[in-house]
Amino acid sequence: MAPARPAAARSAAHPTDQRLSQRTPRAPLSAARGASVPRAAAGPGHPPPPHQETRMTTSESITAEHATAEHTIADARGRIDALDDSIISLIEERISVSEQIQATRIAAGGRRVHLAREMEVLRRYRDGLGAPGTGLAMTLLDLCRGRV
């Protein structure tokens, strides 16, 4: 390992050290992240030059992003509520149609429940939605059975 040289000897002897000392100072890291830190300010307490553009502070940026996120979430929840209303209406319609089928089947001397048909429904929901689809189909079938 080379012995340490005094600072004066290092700056005079090595060109890299001279280039490093001649670099212009960089803005603090917070400026790169959008914080309002003037490059040309002389120090703490000095206002930025009048021609310098004012940037949004980090906290203002986070607040704006939060407001945008909240707006997006609120819009999406509104869409989900509308979809849920449609789904509920469709289920009510399905229950009504199922009641007609059951009443007709019973009037013709048949059984209230047709198990082969229920298996078709279970299979369709499982194929379309995976394993949770089977549970959903079971719930629908339960809602639609025995209303007559």
Side-chain angles (χ1 to χ4, degrees):
M1 183 158 156
R5 294 181 290 164
R10 275 197 312 260
S11 65
H14 202 283
T16 303
D17 291 336
Q18 289 175 350
R19 279 186 301 222
L20 289 175
S21 66
Q22 293 172 356
R23 282 188 180 172
T24 56
R26 289 185 172 182
L29 183 58
S30 58
R33 292 187 179 149
S36 181
V37 178
R39 273 188 175 226
H46 295 280
H51 67 278
Q52 185 170 354
E53 183 179 318
T54 305
R55 293 187 191 172
M56 188 181 297
T57 65
T58 302
S59 62
E60 289 171 336
S61 175
I62 290 171
T63 301
E65 289 173 13
H66 181 71
T68 300
E70 287 297 320
H71 180 72
T72 301
I73 290 168
D75 285 350
R77 285 182 177 158
R79 289 179 53 211
I80 286 175
D81 290 345
L83 289 168
D84 285 343
D85 290 341
S86 296
I87 291 168
I88 290 168
S89 293
L90 288 170
I91 291 171
E92 289 171 341
E93 183 179 348
R94 189 184 197 288
I95 290 169
S96 176
V97 171
S98 183
E99 287 172 349
Q100 291 174 357
I101 291 170
Q102 289 173 42
T104 303
R105 191 180 301 123
I106 290 170
R111 299 177 58 188
R112 180 177 55 84
V113 177
H114 189 257
L115 294 177
R117 172 66 180 151
E118 288 193 358
M119 293 305 292
E120 288 175 21
V121 171
L122 290 170
R123 194 172 18 261
R124 182 180 326 148
Y125 276 78
R126 184 190 63 235
D127 291 348
L129 301 172
T134 303
L136 178 59
M138 290 296 293
T139 300
L140 283 172
L141 292 170
D142 188 45
L143 285 169
C144 295
R145 269 189 217 123
R147 299 267 180 173
V148 177

